[in-house]
Structures are given as structure tokens and as C-alpha cells.
Amino acid sequence: MRGVTVEVSARKFSIPFECPCCGAEPDSEITLSAGRTRGLVFPYCARCVAHVIAWESAGVPSAATMLLGIIAAIVVGLAAGPLFGALVVAVTIPIVLAIARAMRKRAGARCAQACAGPGRALAYLGWDGNASRFQFESPTYTARFAEQNDKRLVNVTTALRKLVDHYRIARLQVPTPVVAVSAVGTPLSPDAWIERLAASGTVARRHAFLRAMEAIHDPAARARIVAAGANLEAAKVLERAEGLPGAEGRLLFEQALVDVRLDNLPDDLEEAVVRLFEERLRST
Ligand SMILES: [Zn+2]
Ligand SMILES: [Zn+2]
């Protein structure tokens, strides 16, 4: 990846709610993992997820052809002599290269004009105990990510500083908001927010949660939204705990408690999920 590296000094950081590849409104998500670090979910648009999958699997047919070519070369080599085996390899290589090229071209053709590239537009380089490190293909997304996490940035490289400055200047000339503004409609009721949380994938749900917390001020309604969000975050673990014997159930909740603290959840949501798991741990 050619992108600029961005480091944030926290486990918690803000994720711009737009596709990191083409900038469109996200309707899908992508999970990034680095080594043993837990996967992080990022918003993505479905179209870009499709071209990433096509791009990442583009090497499979050519690798399979190469394997067949090698097997054929061994068989021919044993039957007719090593020179003929070498000839089979010599014929296979251009075919393999042509297949790889064609597959990559096909994946590339799925991209939109605005796409940062045919492959993954971002990489998570892991948490080293001090910072989470990322790389993004799109300069716009890099700048937005850096701006949204301004206070948490560490080891800012000259390249990143330059990029953010350019972006800021460009924004002064053509005013665009730091955060993409979604269409403003009638304000949602707490129940409508809860419905929206339930209907979304992980990234969209967390984004909706933050927006609900900005929009709803009544403490009781906020508590209800937090509780609903926590139940949704915890749902997978609770489902897995069903029917597990006591000791295994406790192990599951202990691990879930570690995971939720490492996850990129809004603070109030994290606290609620922790309370939920702790209660279950006590009663298991
Ligand atoms: Zn996209
Ligand atoms: Zn794309």
C-alpha cells in the first residue's frame, strides 16, 4: 500500500463514516486484523467490498494454472526427458501471467471513478502498546481520519502533516464539512433510534449510537438507548453462552470482557456492555 501511515495513541478513535475507498455513504463493512490483535471493523460501501474481494482472489486461477503446469512438466519430464519438461514450464509461464493480468483487470473494472484503488483502501498495522497504526490509500480519507482524531495523533510524519494542511486549505477554498453531513430529516424518537440500531451492521450501529447520543438529551431515554445498544453489542456472546456449562460460560464472559475493553466502542456503550457481562459472569 502506498498510503501515508497514521498513528493514534489510543485504542479508541473516531472513524469517518464514509467508504475509505470511494467516499460514498457506507452500506457495508470490512474487518481488519493485524497479527494477534483483535479485528477492527471499518465502514465500506458494498460496491468497493466487491472489487476488493475480486482483487484479492484474482491470483487464485493463475496460481492453480501454475500448479497444473508444474505437475504436467514433471509428468512430461519423466516420460520424455527433462528438456520437454522445461518446455512445458516455458509455455505455462506466459499463460499464467496472462490469466493474472486479465483477472486483475476484471477486478479493476469494478471500481468506480472515485475509488482509491482496486485493493483494500486501508490497512491496520496493529497496536504496539502505545499506538494503533493505520495506512489509507485515499488522501481525502487519510486527512479526514487525521482531523477527526486530531488530539490522539502521534508520530505525525511530514507527509501526513502536508496532506492534512493541503486538505485544510482545499476545504477553505471549497467549504465542505469535516464530517459528512447526512440528510437532515425530522428528528427521531428514542424508539426510532433503537429500531435503527437494531437494523444496522456493527459500524453503522455504532455510528447511529453516537448520533442518537447527540440528538437525545432526556436521561431516561438515553439510558434506554444505551441499554439497547449494549444488548446488541453483547448479542453474539450471549448467544454463544446459551447452554454452555458453568466453567465454559465463565471463560467465555471473561474473554468477552477483555475483548470489549480492547474494542473501539463509545465509552458509555462499553461501560454498559461490561456491566452486562459482569452480571452474567456472577450468575453463571
Ligand atoms: Zn466505496
Ligand atoms: Zn472502491
Side-chain angles (χ1 to χ4, degrees):
M1 187 165 297
R2 306 154 292 159
V4 179
T5 305
V6 183
E7 299 189 32
V8 282
S9 66
R11 284 281 195 182
K12 298 263 170 85
F13 47 86
S14 164
I15 299 176
F17 195 62
E18 61 186 63
C19 177
C21 185
C22 71
E25 179 148 352
D27 52 0
S28 185
E29 51 194 50
I30 205 164
T31 304
L32 305 173
S33 31
R36 285 166 55 209
T37 330
R38 228 175 138 262
L40 286 173
V41 265
F42 267 79
Y44 232 82
C45 82
R47 179 191 176 128
C48 289
V49 169
H51 77 62
V52 169
I53 291 170
W55 180 259
E56 289 181 348
S57 55
V60 176
S62 53
T65 312
M66 192 67 231
L67 187 68
L68 281 178
I70 291 169
I71 294 169
I74 292 170
V75 172
V76 171
L78 287 176
L83 198 67
F84 289 95
L87 201 69
V88 173
V89 172
V91 172
T92 309
I93 288 172
I95 297 174
V96 166
L97 291 178
I99 292 174
R101 228 178 1 250
M103 293 300 290
R104 278 200 300 268
K105 205 173 154 196
R106 229 169 72 176
R110 286 165 168 254
C111 289
Q113 195 92 53
C115 283
R120 256 169 225 252
L122 74 177
Y124 175 42
L125 309 176
W127 166 260
D128 65 2
N130 297 305
S132 298
R133 298 170 63 224
F134 299 93
Q135 240 171 24
F136 306 107
E137 280 288 351
S138 147
T140 313
Y141 195 86
T142 312
R144 277 196 200 277
F145 184 88
E147 281 201 329
Q148 282 198 19
N149 292 288
D150 195 26
K151 302 221 162 53
R152 311 175 179 104
L153 292 183
V154 281
N155 305 327
V156 177
T157 57
T158 344
L160 178 60
R161 179 63 59 209
K162 256 194 198 152
L163 209 157
V164 172
D165 285 346
H166 275 188
Y167 181 71
R168 195 172 295 139
I169 292 164
R171 195 144 47 75
L172 288 176
Q173 285 161 351
V174 185
T176 52
V178 178
V179 181
V181 182
S182 324
V184 182
T186 39
L188 294 180
S189 68
D191 285 321
W193 276 117
I194 289 172
E195 250 171 60
R196 183 169 288 197
L197 294 184
S200 324
T202 307
V203 178
R205 184 173 66 236
R206 291 175 186 178
H207 180 70
F209 177 82
L210 289 172
R211 288 182 50 215
M213 290 293 107
E214 281 166 16
I216 304 290
H217 300 288
D218 170 53
R222 285 171 70 89
R224 273 204 302 129
I225 295 170
V226 172
N231 277 324
L232 290 164
E233 288 291 340
K236 274 202 187 112
V237 174
L238 297 181
E239 202 178 291
R240 275 169 54 207
E242 288 295 326
L244 274 188
E248 274 179 53
R250 274 193 295 280
L251 216 61
L252 180 71
F253 286 119
E254 276 163 13
Q255 185 57 48
L257 277 165
V258 173
D259 288 345
V260 72
R261 288 188 174 113
L262 295 182
D263 207 342
N264 191 29
L265 279 182
D267 286 334
D268 26 13
L269 197 52
E270 178 189 314
E271 269 167 45
V273 178
V274 165
R275 270 200 308 277
L276 222 149
F277 286 154
E278 278 174 349
E279 267 164 36
R280 292 294 300 259
L281 193 58
R282 273 193 298 275
S283 64
T284 301

